[in-house]
Amino acid sequence: MIRHILLVSLLIHCTLAQPKGGKPLSPPLPKRTWLTLHGDEPIVVANGGYSGLLPAQTDIAYSQAKVLGKRGTVLLCDLHMSRDGQGFCLSQLNLQNTTNAADAFPNRRKTYIVNGKEIQGWFALVFTADELYSKLQVTQSIFSRTDLFDFSPPTPTDLFLEDNMKSLVWFNAEYATFYSQHKLSLLDHIKQLLEIKKDISYISSPEIGFLKSVGPVVRGLRTKLMFKFPADKNAVEPTTNETYASLLTKLSMIKTFAAGIVVPREYIWPVNKARYLDSSTNLVTDAHKLGLEVFSYGFANDNYLPYNYTYDPQREYLQFVDNSLFAVDGVITDFTMSASMAIACLAGSRNASRKVPTLIISSNGANGDYPGATDLAYQKAVEDGVDIIDCSVQMTKDGVALCLPSIDLMPSTTAAGPFMSRAAKIDPIQSAMGIFSFDLTWEEIQSLKPQMSGGFNGELARDPARKNVGKFVTLSDFLEFAKAKAVPGVLINIENAAYLATNKGLDIVGAVTTALSNATLDKNLTQKVLIMSSESSVLDKFKTIPTYQKVLHIKEQVGFVTNETALEVKKYADAVLLHKHSIYSEFRQEGLTFNLTNLIDRMHWANVSVYAGNVINEFQDIFMDFGSDPYLLIHNLIYYGADGIVTQYPSTASAYSRNLCTGNPDAYKIQDLNPGDVIAVMLDPKEVAEYKPPPPVHFETKNFVTPPLPPVADIAKDDGGSTSNSTSNANTSDAPSPSSPPPPAQAASSATAPTINGAALFFATMLGLVYYKI
C-alpha cells in the first residue's frame, strides 16, 4: 500500500512538472465541437487500468490510469464472481493466462461449458473470495510486456469502488448466463455495488437479457447501459439465439434497452487479410442517428497495427475520433496516456503551428514510409515538415556520390540477387559479408531496386506494398531537391573516407565539398548545412567553412563522458548525434529505464548541441516506461535536453511538435518521466538497491580522434570506367520527383512475411537487443 501511495505521489509530481526550458504559455483553446453523438470530447476508458504496463485490473493499474489519463478517464472492471458470491475485477473468465492460478492451485483445474463451448482451465467461481485474494497474483497476459509487476492480488469489486469513489467507473458483465447456471447472480451483485456508489457510469454486457434486467435497477440513475458486441460476429447471443451479425442490423431494437454499443475496432474500420484498412463502415453514423453512443475497444500500442498507420499508435486513435465523417464516443484502451494525448493534444492539430521548436532531422528521409534515401522518402520527409533532410553519402566504383543508408547495398537494395558474386568481407568496414557500393558502377546500381528495411521482420515488417518503390538519388540531385523545396537544412553524413581514399582511390570528402559548392550551399546563409561523421579527420576537413555545423556521430551506446572529453569534442564538432539509449540506462535488460546518463549534461556544459536518435515507431524499440509510444519517447528525449530528434518517421515527430497541449496550462499534461522512476517506486526498494548495473561505457577521445586523412591513391579502374572522383557524370534524371508520392497502398504486392517466433519476439523486446544506426 505504501508503494502505491508513493506511486500516486510520483505521478502527481510528473503531472505538475514543467518541461525544462520554460516554454511560453499559450492562451486557452476554444471549446471544440466533436462529431460524437453529443458533440463532447471522446472519452478514454482505461481497460483494467493502465494495463499496457501493469497487470490489468489491479489497484496499482487503476491508480496509475487515474493520474496519467485525461480528465474524465473511466476505469473499467470486468466483473467475475467467487464461489461464495464476492465480485472481483478479472480480465478473463479463464484465469490461466492472467493469474498464477495454475501454480497456486495445480489441482483445481476444471472444464465448463460456456455459451455452448467447452473451456478448460481455472475459474473464479471455483475459489472462495479469501482464496482468490490471499493466494492469487494477477499477471501480464501479453508476453511482450514486462512481468516485473506481477505481485498484486485481484481486486474485489467493493474495494474497487471504495478506492475510486470520485472516479468514473464501468462494470462489464460478460458472463451473466454462465454464472447464473452456477447459482451466482451478477444482477444481485450489481445491486449491492450500487449501494456503495450510486453513480456507476456504465454497465455493459453482450447479453440482452441481463441488460434488460438491469434496466429497472438503474432507472433514475445516471448509469448508462451498453450492449457489447464480441469480436466474433458469428457468435450467438444467449437471450435471442441470434448471431451478433444479425443483431448489428437491429440497432433500433438495441436502443430500446441500451444507451449505446461497444464494438471491436474492426467493426468500424475493417482490416483486410493483407493488413490494410478498408473503407469505414456506416456503423457509427447509423448508431448516432438513432441516438446510440458508440465505444470501440481493442486499442493497444503494442498491437500489430495496419500498415496504413506506419506503427504510429496515435494515428489509429485519430482515425476513430478525428476524421471528417464521425467520431466514436469513447475508446477502450490498455494505454491511457496515449489515448489521452491523441484526443486532448493531437486531434485538430493537423494544420496547427509548431509548438515545439526542437529540430526534426530525418534518417534517410522518411525511411519508415518508403525505402531509405530514395526520392519518395525525401519527398515524404519534406511533406511531413522535417527541418533537416539527410544524405549518407556513398561512392560508386566510377566516382559518383549518391545517397544510400549504408555502404553495404544488401540491406537497402536488391543487390543480393544479381551481384552476389561480388560479395566480400572487408574488416575495416564491417564484420559481415556485404556487397559494397564502391564495387559497382552508378549504372549497375541504377539497375537495382531500392529495398525497405526496418530491422524487424514478421508482424513488424514495414509496408510490403512499398518495399521496392522509389529511385536512387545522387548527392547533387539531393542538394538541388533541398534547395528547390527550401528545406531549412541538410545533413551530409560521411564515413569510411580513409578506406575509400587508400584502397579504392575515391575522394568522398572532395566529392561532398564540390557538390556543396556547386549547389552554392557553402555560401547560402538561409539553409543550414550539417556535416556529420564519426571521425574527427573528416570533420576537420570542413573547419574552414564557418557556416557549416559539424556533427560528431557517436555510434556506440555509451554511458559516461568526462569534462575533458566533452571539451575535446568541442574542438572538432558543434553537435553530437547520440544513440537514444546513451541518454538513459536500462534496468536489468528488462525494457525499463534505470537512470539518466551524463552525456547531455556534459555536452551542453561544453557548448555542444545534442541530437538524439534513431527514433522509430515500432513498439519493440521503445522502452516500456514510455508506454510503447514514440510520442512519449520524443517528448521525454526533449525533456531530458535533446536539441534535435533524428527519426525514420518525421511525420510522428512533426505531429508531436504541433500538439495543442504544449504551452497550454489548461490542457492535458504530457508526462515528463524521469528514468528509473517507475522501478524505484513500483518495485521493492531492496530489489532495486541490490541491482548493480555494469560499469557505464566511457566515451573517450580515442573513440573519435583519428589521424589526418591519407591522400587519394591513384588506382586504375579495371572496367574501363572513368577514374574521375567528381560527380559530373551523375544522372540528373533521378532527382527526387517534385510530384506527391503515391497514396498509401490498399493491398500488399506480396504475401506478408511469416510471423516472428513468439519467444524470439519476447526476448528481443525484453532484452532490448535491436538497436538502430543512422
Side-chain angles (χ1 to χ4, degrees), residues 410-488:
M410 289 175 64
S412 59
T413 77
T414 55
F419 295 109
M420 198 63 201
S421 61
R422 301 198 199 177
K425 184 174 181 294
I426 303 177
D427 289 330
I429 295 179
Q430 64 184 38
S431 59
M433 294 282 286
I435 302 171
F436 300 99
S437 66
F438 51 71
D439 285 332
L440 274 69
T441 65
W442 172 231
E443 183 177 1
E444 288 173 326
I445 289 177
Q446 287 180 296
S447 72
L448 304 174
K449 290 183 179 180
Q451 183 166 281
M452 184 144 64
S453 174
F456 293 105
N457 296 312
E459 297 294 338
L460 277 179
R462 291 176 177 173
D463 190 345
R466 293 176 170 180
K467 183 176 181 180
N468 299 116
V469 300
K471 297 179 181 179
F472 300 113
V473 176
T474 65
L475 173 60
S476 58
D477 291 338
F478 166 83
L479 296 175
E480 289 304 318
F481 170 77
K483 288 184 63 178
K485 295 296 183 180
V487 181

Side-chain angles (χ1 to χ4, degrees), residues 368-626:
D369 295 279
Y370 292 98
T374 59
D375 59 339
L376 295 179
Y378 290 129
Q379 178 72 36
K380 182 67 164 57
V382 171
E383 291 177 352
D384 289 341
V386 75
D387 296 307
I388 309 289
I389 56 171
D390 69 305
C391 171
S392 290
V393 181
Q394 315 300 338
M395 298 295 292
T396 68
K397 187 174 184 177
D398 50 347
V400 176
L402 73 159
C403 304
L404 283 172
S406 73
I407 197 169
D408 181 4
L409 301 174
M410 289 175 64
S412 59
T413 77
T414 55
F419 295 109
M420 198 63 201
S421 61
R422 301 198 199 177
K425 184 174 181 294
I426 303 177
D427 289 330
I429 295 179
Q430 64 184 38
S431 59
M433 294 282 286
I435 302 171
F436 300 99
S437 66
F438 51 71
D439 285 332
L440 274 69
T441 65
W442 172 231
E443 183 177 1
E444 288 173 326
I445 289 177
Q446 287 180 296
S447 72
L448 304 174
K449 290 183 179 180
Q451 183 166 281
M452 184 144 64
S453 174
F456 293 105
N457 296 312
E459 297 294 338
L460 277 179
R462 291 176 177 173
D463 190 345
R466 293 176 170 180
K467 183 176 181 180
N468 299 116
V469 300
K471 297 179 181 179
F472 300 113
V473 176
T474 65
L475 173 60
S476 58
D477 291 338
F478 166 83
L479 296 175
E480 289 304 318
F481 170 77
K483 288 184 63 178
K485 295 296 183 180
V487 181
V490 296
L491 181 148
I492 308 299
N493 184 28
I494 304 172
E495 299 294 345
N496 305 301
Y499 178 86
L500 292 172
T502 301
N503 297 280
K504 298 298 175 179
L506 295 170
D507 184 6
I508 188 172
V509 170
V512 169
T513 302
T514 300
L516 287 169
S517 179
N518 289 343
T520 67
L521 287 175
D522 55 341
K523 303 177 181 64
N524 189 336
L525 299 180
T526 61
Q527 288 181 293
K528 296 180 181 179
V529 175
L530 284 65
I531 303 293
M532 184 170 77
S533 180
S534 61
E535 302 176 348
S536 65
S537 54
V538 172
L539 299 179
D540 228 22
K541 287 288 186 178
F542 296 90
K543 65 182 179 182
T544 58
I545 305 179
T547 57
Y548 290 178
Q549 183 185 79
K550 297 176 289 297
V551 182
L552 178 67
H553 185 184
I554 303 177
K555 294 182 177 180
E556 305 83 4
Q557 186 179 333
V558 295
F560 186 83
V561 64
T562 64
N563 292 349
E564 291 76 16
T565 301
L567 290 173
E568 193 71 16
V569 169
K570 181 60 180 175
K571 293 179 182 179
Y572 299 95
D574 307 294
V576 295
L577 169 56
L578 286 179
H579 192 300
K580 61 180 178 292
H581 292 163
S582 291
I583 293 173
Y584 43 81
S585 63
E586 185 177 6
F587 178 69
R588 280 191 341 210
Q589 295 186 318
E590 296 276 4
L592 294 159
T593 62
F594 184 60
N595 61 28
L596 196 65
T597 68
N598 78 335
L599 272 293
I600 290 182
D601 179 68
R602 291 299 85 196
M603 289 300 173
H604 282 174
W605 172 82
N607 198 27
V608 176
S609 297
V610 176
Y611 305 141
N614 192 340
V615 174
I616 62 174
N617 288 353
E618 285 87 345
F619 69 86
Q620 280 189 329
D621 197 58
I622 302 172
F623 280 2
M624 283 174 277
D625 305 57
F626 307 118

